[in-house]
Amino acid sequence: MTIEQISFQLILHAGNSKSFSMEAVKLAYENHFNEAALKIEDANKELTIAHKSQYDLLSDYSSGRGVDLDILLVHAQDHVTSAALMLDLAKEIINLNKKIYLTEQKGEEK
């Protein structure tokens, strides 16, 4: 696979992960926590695929095979980093929404 193909694979899977993370947050705002959890699983799967491609590049580099660096690969790496960040933040936002929802439910029981 060429470095351009790898770069586009990174962008594709990182983008999918970010989209799933955002969908999960939107579901959590609507108190659909089970569905949000499923979207988080999807986001994790996509990010894992991207990380596998990253690992392969690092493995090639450390084995002395070299990696051609270009702006597209740098851009792709940015996408992976932002996807990982988005996933972490989505998990936190979902947890906060769930706490708020549960607190409100307890308040209504009184």
Side-chain angles (χ1 to χ4, degrees), residues 41-79:
E41 286 180 23
D42 292 338
N44 270 319
K45 288 175 188 173
E46 289 291 327
L47 191 58
T48 298
I49 294 168
H51 277 141
K52 169 78 171 85
S53 294
Q54 262 186 334
Y55 174 83
D56 292 344
L57 284 173
L58 289 170
S59 180
D60 286 348
Y61 180 77
S62 67
S63 298
R65 287 190 282 270
V67 174
D68 295 327
L69 293 177
D70 65 5
I71 193 68
L72 184 60
L73 180 59
V74 172
H75 180 68
Q77 294 296 332
D78 283 344
H79 274 276

Side-chain angles (χ1 to χ4, degrees), residues 2-110:
T2 68
I3 197 70
E4 288 84 11
Q5 290 170 320
I6 293 168
S7 296
F8 282 118
Q9 288 293 312
L10 287 169
I11 292 167
L12 169 73
H13 293 292
N16 288 345
S17 179
K18 283 190 282 187
S19 293
F20 285 131
S21 293
M22 286 306 302
E23 288 176 31
V25 168
K26 288 176 186 174
L27 286 164
Y29 282 137
E30 297 167 356
N31 301 323
H32 300 297
F33 301 109
N34 291 335
E35 293 91 339
L38 294 174
K39 291 293 181 182
I40 290 295
E41 286 180 23
D42 292 338
N44 270 319
K45 288 175 188 173
E46 289 291 327
L47 191 58
T48 298
I49 294 168
H51 277 141
K52 169 78 171 85
S53 294
Q54 262 186 334
Y55 174 83
D56 292 344
L57 284 173
L58 289 170
S59 180
D60 286 348
Y61 180 77
S62 67
S63 298
R65 287 190 282 270
V67 174
D68 295 327
L69 293 177
D70 65 5
I71 193 68
L72 184 60
L73 180 59
V74 172
H75 180 68
Q77 294 296 332
D78 283 344
H79 274 276
V80 174
T81 301
S82 66
L85 250 170
M86 184 65 228
L87 181 56
D88 288 343
L89 288 172
K91 289 176 185 177
E92 291 300 319
I93 292 168
I94 291 165
N95 285 335
L96 287 171
N97 275 291
K98 195 171 194 175
K99 282 184 179 183
I100 291 167
Y101 175 77
L102 293 173
T103 300
E104 288 173 349
Q105 294 301 313
K106 286 180 184 177
E108 290 176 10
E109 291 176 7
K110 290 182 180 179

